[in-house]
Amino acid sequence: MELAVRNSTRKNMRLKRNGHESLRAALFLLPTWLLLLIFFFLPIALTFYYAFTNISLTGAASAHTEFVGFQNFTSMFSDPSFRMSVINTIVFLLASAIVGQQVLGLILALLMNEKKQWFRSVIGSLVIAGWVTPEIVVAFIWFAFLSDQGTANVMLGWLGIKPIHWLTSFPMVSVIIANIWHGTAFSMLVYQAALGDVPKEIQEAAMIDGAHGWQRLWRITLPMIRSSIVTNMVLITLQTLGLFTLIYALTGGGPGTATETLPIYMYQAAFSSYQLGYGTAISLILLLIGIIFSVGYIKISKVDL
């Protein structure tokens, strides 16, 4: 009897102590939760709410916002400019990020793998310089290079070739090249870290068995860094989908709608046409595209991140 009372007392004391520790932990975490609530969850909730309203910066709707259901989305999908911006966004994403930055970053990492330190430092510094340069500066650099009187046409003139109107005749190609130049360093760094974790013993064993370079890359290296490939694709996809400054400063989304991606179309709708509700609805479509691509990468590669 006495033993049972003693055990019950100990249990109550342990529960009481655990309760005090939980309360103390909750009090320590309270400021973090408040900051997340104010600066993260609340803006997300407002974005979803505004997407279903007619809120605007001017006019009657700015004073009396009304819930309009799916009207913004039905208007969006019947708008040819929206459909064109979606196509431009997908083309820009596939060419500049998924193919350009991904493939070029992997090639650079493979070329630098196991090279001498001075070589890696020089090449790495040159590539990373493009990555750390602010987007607006990158836009001016490429405008100076691709404009009608720019460096590219000066170099073509040395070869006797007529100037090319890069920014008006090939606007999408111009912004794709600029984004590849700007973002390739990130992929290169990811793959450098991943290649460093591939055991040399496996590569050496494959060489002894007669596997040449392409076979070792395709059958050993790529499968072993598959999780890094997927992680990199998700990150550069989300970063590229939200890219605004580089394209807007370089071409302004034009000529016409030739380079008008979803972020630029969203900006035009929200701050040029003053339709904030319509603009926030476009942002949800942009978010949905990012989720679809990210889930697709994970499902196709069968990687657990």
Side-chain angles (χ1 to χ4, degrees):
M1 182 65 181
E2 183 180 352
L3 180 61
V5 171
R6 190 182 303 168
N7 290 335
S8 177
T9 304
R10 288 177 178 174
K11 185 177 180 181
N12 291 334
M13 290 178 65
R14 188 165 56 249
L15 290 174
K16 190 176 181 180
R17 186 168 59 250
N18 291 338
H20 286 163
E21 290 178 354
S22 299
L23 179 61
R24 188 183 304 171
L27 289 175
F28 274 113
L29 290 174
L30 183 60
T32 303
W33 280 108
L34 286 176
L35 289 174
L36 284 174
L37 178 65
I38 295 172
F39 296 106
F40 186 73
F41 293 111
L42 184 59
I44 291 176
L46 286 176
T47 299
F48 275 90
Y49 170 70
Y50 288 150
F52 295 92
T53 67
N54 65 345
I55 185 172
S56 67
L57 291 176
T58 61
S62 62
H64 303 286
T65 301
E66 296 180 355
F67 185 80
V68 295
F70 288 93
Q71 182 179 325
N72 289 329
F73 295 93
T74 55
S75 301
M76 189 189 310
F77 287 109
S78 61
D79 185 357
S81 297
F82 169 75
R83 294 196 292 270
M84 180 55 67
S85 66
V86 171
I87 294 173
N88 287 338
T89 302
I90 301 299
V91 171
F92 180 68
L93 173 66
L94 293 175
S96 71
I98 298 176
V99 176
Q101 295 180 14
Q102 178 93 341
V103 174
L104 188 58
L106 178 60
I107 292 173
L108 286 171
L110 289 170
L111 291 175
M112 294 171 64
N113 193 33
E114 298 182 3
K115 294 293 187 298
K116 292 184 178 179
Q117 184 60 41
W118 69 267
F119 179 82
R120 300 178 57 166
S121 299
V122 171
I123 301 299
S125 300
L126 291 175
V127 177
I128 292 173
W131 183 46
V132 299
T133 305
E135 282 184 27
I136 186 67
V137 179
V138 173
F140 280 111
I141 289 173
W142 280 94
F143 183 83
F145 186 76
L146 297 174
S147 63
D148 292 347
Q149 293 80 32
T151 309
N153 282 331
V154 171
M155 295 171 68
L156 290 177
W158 295 343
L159 302 174
I161 301 175
K162 292 182 179 179
I164 299 174
H165 306 293
W166 296 100
L167 297 176
T168 53
S169 300
F170 306 100
M172 182 56 79
V173 174
S174 300
V175 295
I176 286 172
I177 293 174
N179 192 43
I180 292 174
W181 183 86
H182 179 56
T184 296
F186 179 80
S187 297
M188 184 193 72
L189 293 173
V190 171
Y191 290 132
Q192 273 188 312
L195 291 174
D197 292 334
V198 177
K200 294 180 181 179
E201 294 80 7
I202 298 178
Q203 297 278 6
E204 292 171 354
M207 290 176 66
I208 293 173
D209 290 339
H212 53 70
W214 174 252
Q215 289 176 322
R216 295 199 302 275
L217 173 65
W218 187 253
R219 296 182 180 276
I220 297 175
T221 304
L222 291 182
M224 295 193 73
I225 64 171
R226 187 172 56 180
S227 60
S228 297
I229 294 174
V230 175
T231 302
N232 184 55
M233 289 180 70
V234 171
L235 293 176
I236 64 173
T237 294
L238 297 178
Q239 188 272 334
T240 303
L241 281 175
L243 195 73
F244 173 81
T245 306
L246 176 62
I247 301 175
Y248 194 78
L250 195 56
T251 65
T257 58
T259 56
E260 189 178 69
T261 55
L262 276 174
I264 293 178
Y265 181 65
M266 178 176 62
Y267 172 82
Q268 301 283 7
F271 299 107
S272 295
S273 302
Y274 308 122
Q275 300 300 316
L276 284 180
Y278 190 65
T280 51
I282 297 170
S283 72
L284 292 186
I285 298 299
L286 193 61
L287 174 65
L288 180 63
I289 293 175
I291 293 173
I292 290 173
F293 270 90
S294 301
V295 173
Y297 297 150
I298 296 171
K299 291 292 183 183
I300 292 172
S301 61
K302 299 178 182 177
V303 169
D304 296 325
L305 297 178

